[in-house]
Amino acid sequence: MNNLMILLVLTSTFAISGCSESQESDVAAQGNEVQSLIDQAIAADQLARQRQHAWIITDELLQDAITAQAANNEVAAKVAAERALFTANAALAQADKEQLAWRARVPR
Amino acid sequence: MKFLLGVLITLGNLGYAYADPESDREAFVKFYAERFSNVDMQDHKDGAYALDKAKRAQWLEMEEFPPYELAVDEGRALFAVPFSNGESYASCFDHQGIGVKQQFPKFDMASNSVITLELAVNQCREANNEPALDYLGDEMSFITAYMAFTSRGEHFDIQIPDAGLAAYEQGKQFFYERRGKLDFACSSCHMTAAGNLLRAEVLSASVGHATHWPAYRFKWEQVGGLHKRFIECNEQVGAVGLAPQSEAYRNLEYFLTYMNNGMELNGPASRK
């Protein structure tokens, strides 16, 4: 009976510690993902700035993502970072499109 | 057939790329002449107040006590203050800096860039070992307000040498390119929608956009230059504004002012 109790305790301990490690690694992975999104958004925004096509909202969203990340709110940080990346890429797409599209607006 | 089509497209693009500035200007003026057939072209120097009688009446009343008057007086005094080496602004400009605004912006061969009046003021200071002024600051606004005042009644006659064509084209591209979250170009508001209402404001025509700067804007509660307005316009459509006197804005001013050739200068002015 004593052996059975020891086995039960040991199994529970391993299960709990394994679960905790898994949660910690999930949080770390999410943190890495958010940081990667932020880095990608910053890089895209820098390109848009160089092309004089950056959008104000990208910077605002990046600030939101960084603030949420600092507060360990990974969910909010990810949402803001994804949106920042989206708007930064949209600004670059606009710059690409306008490279030729502006000519159609010149009166002649 | 495909080859012929390719040649035609290439020739078409070359035509777009190398349209000469004077053809551009004629087409630009014709656009507004047709759109506002009941408005004298010269009246566009008053911006939106040329397009709306009620707003014009209000504006004329405001002009009876011009809010930029103090800026002109301050500018006159600052313009006369000698630099520490004994020289002054007058030594840097034609005609001692009196009545010269219509020459700006101009293309400078030596630096291969566009020189605006504000840039010339700071170049003058730096050449005389004085610190450059803040382009968005009061002192720059006052000095250029005074210089603009001395050019009232003159007409723009901007020249574009061959070397300046690239800068002109870059300014033209900036004017017609959509930017920002709202996907607006300068031309979206001031050509396509000119004369229409944006909320309670009448959108002015670009054919008079360069004539009256710097301007006292009631929104700003101060006199400010054209580049301050460029930044504000860009930000209003959700785009990140550029630095005042950046190359892109100087090129934009070069294009816009060339489009205003022949228009009378009436700066400084007041705007809502």
Side-chain angles (χ1 to χ4, degrees):
Chain A
M1 186 63 184
N2 276 351
N3 286 345
L4 190 63
M5 282 299 288
I6 290 166
L7 186 65
L8 198 64
V9 168
L10 281 174
T11 311
S12 309
T13 309
F14 286 139
I16 290 167
S17 68
C19 209
S20 163
E21 274 173 24
S22 161
Q23 276 178 349
E24 279 171 15
S25 64
D26 280 356
V27 170
Q30 202 171 23
N32 289 339
E33 189 189 355
V34 169
Q35 190 56 54
S36 167
L37 285 167
I38 290 172
D39 292 344
Q40 288 175 62
I42 289 172
D45 187 48
Q46 284 302 320
L47 277 178
R49 278 173 195 270
Q50 282 167 21
R51 299 178 68 181
Q52 296 156 359
H53 268 276
W55 293 5
I56 292 171
I57 194 169
T58 304
D59 196 41
E60 292 169 355
L61 289 165
L62 272 168
Q63 289 307 315
D64 290 348
I66 291 164
T67 306
Q69 193 186 36
N72 290 321
N73 187 347
E74 295 294 332
V75 175
K78 189 179 174 193
V79 169
E82 280 175 342
R83 290 186 64 197
L85 181 58
F86 177 82
T87 56
N89 282 330
L92 284 173
Q94 181 187 56
D96 286 340
K97 185 189 69 140
E98 288 301 307
Q99 198 61 37
L100 286 176
W102 69 272
R103 292 184 186 281
R105 298 180 200 118
V106 181
R108 49 197 75 248
Chain B
M1 185 63 189
K2 275 185 181 171
F3 175 75
L4 188 63
L5 196 61
V7 169
L8 284 174
I9 289 171
T10 307
L11 286 175
N13 282 338
L14 282 174
Y16 274 132
Y18 296 105
D20 69 287
E22 194 48 24
S23 305
D24 284 345
R25 197 191 65 79
E26 284 168 5
F28 193 85
V29 170
K30 183 166 159 268
F31 174 89
Y32 291 108
E34 288 172 356
R35 182 163 195 133
F36 302 109
S37 54
N38 57 342
V39 177
D40 186 278
M41 193 56 64
Q42 284 294 336
D43 286 348
H44 285 293
K45 68 181 184 294
D46 295 331
Y49 307 121
L51 307 176
D52 185 301
K53 278 186 182 171
K55 286 182 191 298
R56 182 176 185 82
Q58 289 174 12
W59 173 69
L60 287 174
E61 281 182 17
M62 286 191 300
E63 285 283 306
E64 285 179 18
F65 298 97
Y68 49 78
E69 207 166 30
L70 290 174
V72 173
D73 290 344
E74 292 273 359
R76 182 183 289 114
L78 287 167
F79 190 85
V81 174
F83 300 136
S84 50
N85 64 1
E87 295 290 343
S88 68
Y89 289 112
S91 64
C92 299
F93 294 93
D94 295 342
H95 311 295
Q96 284 77 52
I98 303 303
V100 295
K101 184 169 163 46
Q102 69 278 8
Q103 301 171 2
F104 291 91
K106 56 172 78 170
F107 192 79
D108 177 49
M109 303 287 188
S111 62
N112 197 35
S113 64
V114 172
I115 307 294
T116 60
L117 183 61
E118 288 81 356
L119 191 65
V121 164
N122 264 350
Q123 285 180 340
C124 177
R125 291 181 62 84
E126 286 170 344
N128 288 287
N129 303 315
E130 298 288 334
L133 300 176
D134 176 1
Y135 287 117
L136 301 179
D138 281 345
E139 200 168 332
M140 178 62 81
S141 299
F142 295 162
I143 289 166
T144 52
Y146 168 64
M147 293 179 81
F149 186 75
T150 66
S151 281
R152 276 189 171 185
E154 300 288 347
H155 294 76
F156 277 123
D157 184 22
I158 304 300
Q159 302 297 318
I160 300 185
D162 287 348
L165 273 174
Y168 166 85
E169 281 293 327
Q170 284 164 22
K172 178 174 150 186
Q173 181 172 346
F174 197 100
F175 182 83
Y176 291 107
E177 264 186 343
R178 291 176 183 269
R179 41 182 36 89
K181 186 176 67 171
L182 299 188
D183 203 31
F184 272 35
C186 305
S187 63
S188 305
C189 286
H190 298 291
M191 290 193 90
T192 312
N196 293 343
L197 285 168
L198 194 67
R199 294 188 178 163
E201 301 304 324
V202 178
L203 291 164
S204 57
S206 285
V207 76
H209 270 175
T211 59
H212 54 275
W213 295 95
Y216 182 96
R217 278 176 67 85
F218 288 87
K219 186 179 174 183
W220 296 342
E221 296 183 336
Q222 62 175 184
V223 173
L226 180 56
H227 290 211
K228 182 171 176 161
R229 187 72 183 101
F230 286 162
I231 294 168
E232 187 181 38
C233 274
N234 280 166
E235 290 178 349
Q236 280 173 326
V237 301
V240 174
L242 308 180
Q245 300 301 321
S246 58
E247 187 183 11
Y249 278 168
R250 280 184 285 122
N251 291 345
L252 175 60
E253 183 178 341
Y254 194 36
F255 163 76
L256 200 54
T257 313
Y258 186 84
M259 292 296 106
N260 285 208
N261 259 359
M263 296 291 288
E264 185 186 324
L265 281 82
N266 60 339
S270 65
R271 291 290 185 271
K272 222 170 137 190

